[in-house]
Amino acid sequence: MIYFVFPKAVSTQALAFDYYTERGIPETTVVFRALVQTQGYGQRGSVWKSPAGNLFLSVLFPIFAHPRYLSELTLIGAFSVIQVLQEHGINAQLKYPNDVFVQHKKISGLLGQVFHTEHSVWAGILGLGLNVNCAPNIQCSMYQATSLQEISQSTWDLEYITHKILRTFIIKLQHVP
């Protein structure tokens, strides 16, 4: 696994896409993580400004060619987040197709992209944002945001939760039939 951390990034999804455009399908998983993200974006292009203390990353990875990934990549990512949160006693639920909610508030958003080729290996990018130690003030949104800290009333170890979610995602990805 190759792991890049940027103190401030416009968009980890854009960084991952640029890497793919310049170098093609990677041989291993490549993670792009920002400590602060100034122009993250969601499924319909909505801008997401992300304060420090939260998780913002995009994972670029090779996958065996299969049409199932086109529709299920974001779900695999969402269920990875849900599993990790539930393991820590937080009742997280999927808001189809690409958000995770806790107590009727948004805690995570995901964006999956698959680049299919004529070869037996494709490339996938999963973008993931998780409100860990603060909830952003979302303007013009029909949903309120929450964070793990707000729910649990304690500060979370950002490195721990990052690696736990990445491990869970990679394991789930390897077990897609």
Side-chain angles (χ1 to χ4, degrees), residues 11-151:
S11 162
T12 60
Q13 201 77 353
L15 292 169
F17 181 74
D18 289 348
Y19 187 98
Y20 166 72
T21 302
E22 292 171 12
R23 300 180 186 200
I25 300 169
E27 292 183 20
T28 187
T29 302
V30 184
V31 178
F32 301 85
R33 181 172 161 217
L35 302 180
V36 173
Q37 187 170 248
T38 59
Q39 293 181 357
Y41 57 90
Q43 186 179 24
R44 289 173 283 286
S46 56
V47 176
W48 190 268
K49 292 186 180 183
S50 311
N54 292 333
L55 174 57
F56 329 106
L57 61 81
S58 292
V59 184
L60 171 64
F61 50 90
I63 50 177
F64 288 107
H66 196 290
R68 188 171 207 172
Y69 286 113
L70 297 172
S71 62
E72 293 186 9
L73 178 58
T74 302
L75 292 175
I76 295 167
F79 285 121
S80 298
V81 171
I82 289 168
Q83 178 181 325
V84 170
L85 296 184
Q86 288 179 345
E87 288 172 0
H88 290 84
I90 296 173
N91 185 17
Q93 299 172 337
L94 174 69
K95 183 190 171 296
Y96 186 84
N98 67 322
D99 291 327
V100 176
F101 273 55
V102 175
Q103 300 171 351
H104 306 288
K105 296 179 182 178
K106 184 174 179 175
I107 196 165
S108 179
L110 299 99
L111 180 63
Q113 296 174 283
V114 175
F115 305 97
H116 51 91
T117 66
E118 299 158 2
H119 307 288
S120 61
V121 177
W122 293 351
I125 298 176
L126 179 72
L128 185 153
L130 175 65
N131 301 332
V132 179
N133 288 314
C134 64
N137 183 7
I138 306 171
Q139 300 296 325
C140 302
S141 176
M142 60 177 113
Y143 306 112
Q144 289 184 312
T146 191
S147 68
L148 294 175
Q149 182 179 38
E150 183 178 304
I151 293 162

